[in-house]
Amino acid sequence: MRRLANEVICFFAVAMFLLIGGGLALALNVPFNTGYYIDLWREFYAAVVGDWANSGPFFIKYVPLLKPLFLLVVVAVPGVFFLHYVIIGPKKFSHEGEQIHYYGVFARIIHWAAALFFTLLVFTGLIIVFADYLGGGAFVRFCRYVHLISAFGFGITVVPMFLMWVKDMLPAPYDIDWFLILGGYLSKKKRPIPAGKYNAGQKMWFWLSTLGGGLMLLTGFYLYLFNTSVTNLRYFTLFHMVLGLAIVALFFTHVYMSLFAIKGAIWSMIYGHKSADEVSILHSKYYEKIKQGSK
């Protein structure tokens, strides 16, 4: 049981490693040998992580310091986006003319269901984190129940969501270029951005929300049942809170990008289409692929 915490963290890391490795292998026409990638991962894990789990108490004493970090994320991230909106402003595109199909009906239903449960998880999770400052009581207990129910709901929706989009979310060389210019969001000018159907920021959010969300579900399951050793519960608490920090930060980012940074972007997840004007700028690589395919 002493190594259980390590194995939990590695499970999702291995899954991502295998998916990305498998995608690259297919892209390069290299035979995919699962055993080879698992052995390679084990060597990497041993070299980088080592036996850090035995130093658990050293990490655990820093858990209380995570609460101020949550407060910083909750205040600073929306604050930065507010300044971005005021200084640079949203990107505006024509939503008339040619429309490009992006999301099917099933994809939109799954996305909105997952979004509902995920939003409830984020906000009830924050209430649980700051429960002592809120005075506890019936409201916090209610939020704990909502958090648990939402976790089951998200667990159901995350699987089809992952399977639908995993292929499109594999990394591409131009994703590095996207990060180098931060997706063009620091400029008021509209220039073609190096991105496929989904940009590097969306891909990062996908992997964190699905694999990271899966790890949150697993650690949360043990935290709810207390069905493991005290040492492991401490590790799970640490992992749950650290991942929670990253998820909350990118959750606010995703909401800002969907509702404010790009005017009308939210409608694509309602009606299933994006305008050619928007796609040609924000997803130029994908737009080029569409045009080449139509010739």
Side-chain angles (χ1 to χ4, degrees), residues 104-235:
V105 174
F106 181 72
R108 281 176 275 157
I109 292 174
I110 290 295
H111 173 272
W112 284 115
L116 170 64
F117 293 126
F118 204 90
T119 301
L120 289 172
L121 283 170
V122 168
F123 285 102
T124 56
L126 288 172
I127 290 171
I128 293 169
V129 168
F130 297 114
D132 49 346
Y133 300 111
L134 297 173
F139 175 66
V140 173
R141 287 196 298 273
F142 172 75
C143 287
R144 288 182 183 273
Y145 293 134
V146 174
H147 198 74
L148 177 63
I149 294 170
S150 300
F152 278 103
F154 179 70
I156 294 172
T157 58
V158 72
V159 175
M161 187 169 64
F162 180 86
L163 295 176
M164 276 192 303
W165 286 318
V166 62
K167 182 180 178 182
D168 291 323
M169 296 297 179
L170 292 174
Y174 45 74
D175 290 334
I176 298 175
D177 298 327
W178 188 94
F179 276 116
L180 290 176
I181 61 173
L182 293 180
Y185 290 106
L186 297 184
S187 173
K188 294 183 179 182
K189 297 180 179 180
K190 292 197 298 184
R191 298 172 179 169
I193 304 299
K197 187 173 183 179
Y198 302 101
N199 62 45
Q202 291 172 310
K203 291 178 180 180
M204 183 169 63
W205 171 239
F206 170 82
W207 291 107
L208 181 63
S209 61
T210 54
L211 296 186
L215 181 54
M216 292 289 281
L217 292 175
L218 187 57
T219 54
F221 172 78
Y222 281 101
L223 292 175
Y224 178 77
L225 292 181
F226 278 79
N227 189 25
T228 185
S229 68
V230 173
T231 299
N232 285 331
L233 285 173
R234 289 170 177 168
Y235 287 133

Side-chain angles (χ1 to χ4, degrees), residues 9-285:
I9 263 195
C10 283
F11 174 80
F12 288 95
V14 168
M16 182 184 292
F17 184 81
L18 291 176
L19 285 168
I20 295 175
L24 292 174
L26 290 173
L28 298 173
N29 198 27
V30 176
F32 182 69
N33 186 326
T34 304
Y36 168 77
Y37 287 102
I38 291 177
D39 291 339
L40 187 62
W41 168 257
R42 286 173 177 166
E43 292 177 11
F44 170 80
Y45 173 78
V48 176
V49 180
D51 199 23
W52 72 270
N54 291 328
S55 302
F58 174 81
F59 293 93
I60 292 166
K61 73 179 182 180
Y62 290 105
V63 168
L65 299 179
L66 292 173
K67 286 190 177 182
L69 291 179
F70 272 100
L71 181 60
L72 178 64
V73 166
V74 169
V75 174
V77 174
V80 168
F81 290 141
F82 175 76
L83 291 176
H84 176 273
Y85 191 86
V86 171
I87 297 172
I88 297 178
K91 292 190 179 297
K92 300 176 182 179
F93 300 95
S94 170
H95 294 283
E96 303 296 329
E98 181 186 1
Q99 299 294 309
I100 296 175
H101 181 71
Y102 243 71
Y103 309 108
V105 174
F106 181 72
R108 281 176 275 157
I109 292 174
I110 290 295
H111 173 272
W112 284 115
L116 170 64
F117 293 126
F118 204 90
T119 301
L120 289 172
L121 283 170
V122 168
F123 285 102
T124 56
L126 288 172
I127 290 171
I128 293 169
V129 168
F130 297 114
D132 49 346
Y133 300 111
L134 297 173
F139 175 66
V140 173
R141 287 196 298 273
F142 172 75
C143 287
R144 288 182 183 273
Y145 293 134
V146 174
H147 198 74
L148 177 63
I149 294 170
S150 300
F152 278 103
F154 179 70
I156 294 172
T157 58
V158 72
V159 175
M161 187 169 64
F162 180 86
L163 295 176
M164 276 192 303
W165 286 318
V166 62
K167 182 180 178 182
D168 291 323
M169 296 297 179
L170 292 174
Y174 45 74
D175 290 334
I176 298 175
D177 298 327
W178 188 94
F179 276 116
L180 290 176
I181 61 173
L182 293 180
Y185 290 106
L186 297 184
S187 173
K188 294 183 179 182
K189 297 180 179 180
K190 292 197 298 184
R191 298 172 179 169
I193 304 299
K197 187 173 183 179
Y198 302 101
N199 62 45
Q202 291 172 310
K203 291 178 180 180
M204 183 169 63
W205 171 239
F206 170 82
W207 291 107
L208 181 63
S209 61
T210 54
L211 296 186
L215 181 54
M216 292 289 281
L217 292 175
L218 187 57
T219 54
F221 172 78
Y222 281 101
L223 292 175
Y224 178 77
L225 292 181
F226 278 79
N227 189 25
T228 185
S229 68
V230 173
T231 299
N232 285 331
L233 285 173
R234 289 170 177 168
Y235 287 133
F236 292 147
T237 300
L238 177 63
F239 300 152
H240 204 78
M241 292 186 72
V242 170
L243 265 177
L245 271 172
I247 285 175
V248 169
L250 283 188
F251 170 79
F252 285 140
T253 303
H254 184 65
V255 170
Y256 175 71
M257 293 298 171
S258 302
L259 297 179
F260 303 103
I262 307 169
K263 285 291 185 181
I266 191 66
W267 296 107
S268 65
M269 191 51 76
I270 295 175
Y271 295 111
H273 295 81
K274 288 181 182 287
S275 70
D277 184 35
E278 178 182 338
V279 176
S280 65
I281 296 297
L282 296 184
H283 304 273
S284 64
K285 299 294 184 182

